[in-house]
Amino acid sequence: MVDDPNHPRPFLIARGGPFYDLQLKAKLIRGKGLNPAVRALVFVSLAWGVPLILSVVAGTALGPLAARPFLLDPGAWARFFLAIGLLVLAETQIEEHLRESVRQLFDGRLLTPKSLGLAKAAVARALRRRNSTPAELICLLLALLASGVLLMNDQNGTSSSWATTINDASTSLSPAAWWSIIVSNTLFWFLVGRALWRHIIWSLLLRDLSRLETRLVASHPDGHGGLGFIGKYPNAYVLFTVAVSGVISAAVTHQVLHGTFTVSALSTIMGLWLALIFAYFGIPLICFMRLLSDLKKSSLLAAATRGTEYQRQAERKTLGRNVIADEGNVTEDEIPDPAKFYEAAKKLSPMLVTRATLVPVSAAALLPFAAAGFTQLPVKELIPVLKHLLLF
């Protein structure tokens, strides 16, 4: 394939790195696609299916709700079934959206000719970060650390019957618990850490691209100088948001089921979580705010200056002279009316994240919490809270 000097390599954020190569060798990924359904099934089977089988053998898969058997443990469902499955499925959606965003930046002729090479280098730099072995090793080490902390906590006592084996007067961790800590929990945190690292890569790429010379125009119909498509990227993270929100809401679910949570406490947690989600997706776009603010300021000033000349020209044609600072008989070309351009420039928004973009992500973030609340808390009290948070 001939390297196009005006286009970078496809920005495939979900590929590259040791973990991707391992999946290739295991033939979990074949061809050009990511094979998300098969991979999700394999990882969920390892993380959730194996502890289920071990719990069935031990007789702790079902039982009273208060004992938290495996199949009634919201934490196990959230981390090992829902989150791991959705994190794998989300990779394809995220990759396709980010790839199209980068492609549109080049195909939309938004970069000056001298910036094309720099932009291509920025994409190549991002792909090298994606392929980093040390980065994924750090993700693995942090995942092992999280599992180590969980192991110490569980050895001090766990409220889940499936995670405990009773021997005479003593208790110890069950085989299902050991597998969940060593394999399932480590896999979950590794996938989360890897996803976070790749979001940082995307953020750094946006920062590098925002520093280049562009061909933006304040009157662009998207209301963002031509960069409106970049602000839509959070919509690609709906599955990712549901996955992470589900894990957090699982802890809330346990408290709700035991009647220790009120609507006000739940609404506070949902509000704080929503603010964190907004920051997570909004911070990478801050680098474009100054660029678009400067564009708006300069465009309004240029349009206002041109408007003065247009109106003075019209005044001379109408009155035969300028009422103030008459310039006499001036021969000049016809000046177009800049009024429409001025009005369009006034509407330019430096904020690339809009309400329309945030509503799907907000709904994804709040859905698991709402599901937890509806199990025990009054529906009439929860619905106004959800409306308030979604309409912000």
Side-chain angles (χ1 to χ4, degrees):
M1 181 177 178
V2 180
D3 191 22
D4 187 344
N6 294 326
H7 288 78
R9 291 169 52 196
F11 185 66
L12 303 176
I13 191 63
R15 312 184 190 220
F19 186 60
Y20 176 79
D21 293 339
L22 180 62
Q23 294 176 84
L24 283 175
K25 291 179 181 178
K27 297 184 178 180
L28 293 176
I29 299 176
R30 298 181 181 183
K32 296 182 179 180
L34 289 171
N35 207 17
V38 172
R39 291 167 54 234
L41 179 61
V42 170
F43 292 146
V44 169
S45 297
L46 285 172
W48 185 83
V50 173
L52 172 61
I53 294 173
L54 294 174
S55 298
V56 170
V57 172
T60 55
L62 285 172
L65 178 61
R68 289 181 69 180
F70 188 82
L71 287 175
L72 297 180
D73 188 341
W77 278 98
R79 277 182 295 167
F80 308 147
F81 187 92
L82 178 70
I84 287 179
L86 290 182
L87 286 171
V88 174
L89 294 175
E91 290 179 353
T92 299
Q93 186 181 20
I94 293 170
E95 179 175 89
E96 290 178 355
H97 192 103
L98 300 191
R99 179 189 60 190
E100 286 302 304
S101 294
V102 173
R103 184 192 62 79
Q104 189 170 343
L105 184 70
F106 285 84
D107 291 350
R109 301 184 63 190
L110 297 173
L111 298 169
T112 62
K114 70 177 184 179
S115 292
L116 288 173
L118 296 173
K120 185 178 177 181
V123 174
R125 191 160 52 247
L127 293 176
R128 287 196 297 271
R129 293 184 181 121
R130 179 203 66 180
N131 297 338
S132 171
T133 297
E136 290 203 356
L137 285 177
I138 291 174
C139 291
L140 179 59
L141 289 175
L142 291 176
L144 290 171
L145 178 62
S147 294
V149 172
L150 180 62
L151 176 61
M152 289 187 292
N153 289 337
D154 281 356
Q155 284 182 332
N156 293 330
T158 174
S159 59
S160 301
S161 62
W162 66 271
T164 304
T165 298
I166 300 177
N167 298 313
D168 298 328
S170 64
T171 60
S172 60
L173 293 178
S174 67
W178 279 107
W179 181 276
S180 296
I181 294 171
I182 296 173
V183 178
S184 308
N185 193 70
T186 301
L187 177 60
F188 163 72
W189 282 111
F190 174 74
L191 291 176
V192 170
R194 187 170 179 264
L196 293 176
W197 165 238
R198 298 196 172 208
H199 188 254
I200 292 174
I201 293 173
W202 170 246
S203 303
L204 294 174
L205 175 59
L206 292 182
R207 180 205 63 184
D208 293 343
L209 294 175
S210 71
R211 295 174 176 177
L212 302 179
E213 187 178 57
T214 61
R215 302 177 68 249
L216 304 182
V217 57
S219 58
H220 196 283
D222 71 358
H224 301 283
L227 295 175
F229 64 94
I230 294 180
K232 297 178 181 178
Y233 92 88
N235 287 339
Y237 283 80
V238 169
L239 293 180
F240 170 84
T241 305
V242 172
V244 179
S245 299
V247 173
I248 297 174
S249 69
V252 175
T253 301
H254 178 66
Q255 301 300 324
V256 170
L257 291 174
H258 288 77
T260 58
F261 250 57
T262 63
V263 173
S264 60
L266 183 61
S267 65
T268 299
I269 290 178
M270 288 193 296
L272 291 174
W273 176 239
L274 203 57
L276 187 59
I277 289 293
F278 288 173
Y280 181 77
F281 292 119
I283 288 176
L285 298 173
I286 289 178
C287 54
F288 288 102
M289 286 185 62
R290 182 175 179 180
L291 175 66
L292 292 174
S293 295
D294 290 344
L295 172 65
K296 182 174 183 177
K297 181 179 178 181
S298 299
S299 298
L300 287 174
L301 177 60
T305 302
R306 194 66 167 173
T308 299
E309 297 304 318
Y310 171 79
Q311 295 298 337
R312 285 179 63 82
Q313 186 182 75
E315 184 182 59
R316 287 194 295 273
K317 289 181 178 180
T318 303
L319 304 179
R321 66 185 181 86
N322 290 123
V323 176
I324 301 245
D326 183 34
E327 299 173 1
N329 295 324
V330 179
T331 302
E332 55 191 354
D333 296 331
E334 189 75 18
I335 299 176
D337 186 358
K340 290 184 178 180
F341 178 88
Y342 185 87
E343 290 301 318
K346 282 175 60 178
K347 297 177 181 178
L348 186 150
S349 174
M351 291 290 295
L352 289 178
V353 173
T354 64
R355 180 179 172 184
T357 301
L358 291 176
V359 166
V361 177
S362 301
L366 297 179
L367 179 62
F369 291 94
F374 285 144
T375 59
Q376 295 290 320
L377 300 176
V379 175
K380 291 183 178 180
E381 295 182 28
L382 275 176
I383 290 179
V385 172
L386 290 173
K387 285 184 178 179
H388 175 72
L389 292 173
L390 286 174
L391 296 177
F392 42 88

